[in-house]
Amino acid sequence: MLFPIGMIVVFGCVAGGYAMHGGNFGILWQPSEVVIIFGAAVGATIISNPGFVIKGMLGGFGWLLKGAPHKKADYVDLLMFVYNICKIMKTKGVLEIEPALDDPDSSELFTNYPKFANNHHGVEFFCDYIRLVTMGMENHYQLEDQMDKEIDMHHHDLETYATAMSTAADGLPALGIVAAVLGVIMTMGSIAEPPEILGGLIGAALVGTFLGILMGYGLFGPIGAFMAKYATADTEYYQVLKTAIIAHVQGNAPAITVEFARKTVPHHLRPSFTEMDAMINGASEG
């Protein structure tokens, strides 16, 4: 959860540098500039995006606090689930797990692995494709092609939210200029005022440009970049699921299926072969 730290560094350094120059923080308090910049940004975002994208953007702020969609423990839980269910399908047949596929929320095959069971989209993805296997789908090329299409669609949906956020961030500096120009227009109406008054009015007008650039490049632009990386990290989870399903359909033993899937886990989250082997042996003995 590095987002709060990043915010503190950005705003702390900007404010600290300004204070070192002897800046007057009072002049930065310009509520009208904030209303112009952020009000226009919100309106532009509403104009340029359908409702589901806006909803997804707002949900993306929760990603910032979560930090990453999946941790190492999530992948370990997934791999152990894959081992257990593939072992059942190998020893008792695919029809044995049909009741669990129909109601995974009530099946111990799923609930024994809570980190995976709580990933509702992942559970749905797994159940849909294993159900095709129970219905007789044996062409793993066709199955893989369909999974790739669904994974690409999932990634595209998440990336759309990130793109919308980045687009809004790109517009903030320009909207800051709009606020500054309006401030200059008002200043020109007071051109007969003494220099100390005009200086304050011009300074207030320039706050709009400052806010637009700072928020665009210091906050909302990085948020959009983070959301894009989050979308990629979430998609990697489904690549692991896809690999496991294809490996099983190709007739591999459960332990080999797990090893194929393990090798597609991102390096920084991947459990070692020794770790998984020990857990698999422990599960087998149990």
Side-chain angles (χ1 to χ4, degrees):
M1 195 172 66
L2 298 176
F3 173 66
I5 297 174
M7 275 191 59
I8 291 170
V9 171
V10 170
F11 291 102
C13 289
V14 171
Y18 183 66
M20 289 169 66
H21 280 291
N24 177 10
F25 283 94
I27 195 67
L28 298 180
W29 176 246
Q30 301 294 333
S32 60
E33 304 277 322
V34 175
V35 171
I36 292 169
I37 296 169
F38 287 98
V42 169
T45 300
I46 292 172
I47 291 170
S48 59
N49 295 287
F52 78 92
V53 174
I54 294 172
K55 183 178 179 181
M57 285 177 63
L58 295 175
F61 285 105
W63 302 351
L64 294 165
L65 299 178
K66 189 176 180 182
H70 307 290
K71 298 178 174 60
K72 181 178 177 178
D74 298 322
Y75 280 107
V76 169
D77 209 52
L78 169 62
L79 294 173
M80 289 305 298
F81 164 78
V82 165
Y83 173 78
N84 183 57
I85 205 160
C86 286
K87 182 179 178 182
I88 291 172
M89 287 190 288
K90 276 287 186 183
T91 57
K92 299 181 180 180
V94 293
L95 297 181
E96 182 71 21
I97 66 166
E98 271 196 333
L101 299 178
D102 293 334
D103 189 14
D105 292 338
S106 303
S107 171
E108 289 187 357
L109 292 179
F110 287 84
T111 58
N112 285 341
Y113 304 92
K115 293 184 183 300
F116 175 67
N118 290 333
N119 186 330
H120 300 296
H121 189 270
V123 169
E124 182 181 19
F125 182 92
F126 182 85
C127 289
D128 285 349
Y129 288 103
I130 292 297
R131 190 176 288 111
L132 285 174
V133 175
T134 66
M135 294 167 63
M137 167 61 74
E138 296 179 351
N139 188 329
H140 64 86
Y141 294 111
Q142 189 176 359
L143 199 64
E144 183 174 12
D145 181 62
Q146 183 58 42
M147 281 192 278
D148 284 336
K149 290 177 181 176
E150 183 170 348
I151 291 171
D152 287 345
M153 188 183 304
H154 175 74
H155 180 71
H156 177 266
D157 287 345
L158 295 183
E159 203 168 49
T160 298
Y161 311 147
T163 301
M165 180 64 72
S166 296
T167 300
D170 290 342
L172 283 172
L175 293 173
I177 294 173
V178 170
V181 169
L182 290 175
V184 171
I185 291 171
M186 295 196 60
T187 301
M188 296 305 291
S190 305
I191 198 68
E193 297 291 338
E196 59 270 19
I197 300 296
L198 285 176
L201 292 172
I202 292 171
L206 291 175
V207 169
T209 303
F210 161 72
L211 283 177
I213 294 173
L214 176 62
M215 293 301 172
Y217 293 109
L219 183 60
F220 290 99
I223 288 175
F226 173 84
M227 289 173 66
K229 293 179 178 68
Y230 188 100
T232 298
D234 192 53
T235 302
E236 290 167 345
Y237 189 83
Y238 298 96
Q239 292 289 353
V240 176
L241 266 174
K242 182 195 81 171
T243 300
I245 294 170
I246 294 301
H248 171 76
V249 172
Q250 290 177 321
N252 291 291
I256 295 176
T257 294
V258 167
E259 179 58 14
F260 274 124
R262 186 189 71 84
K263 294 297 287 183
T264 57
V265 175
H267 285 90
H268 64 289
L269 298 173
R270 182 186 302 169
S272 68
F273 173 83
T274 304
E275 288 178 278
M276 290 308 305
D277 188 52
M279 283 185 277
I280 286 173
N281 289 334
S284 299
E285 291 171 5

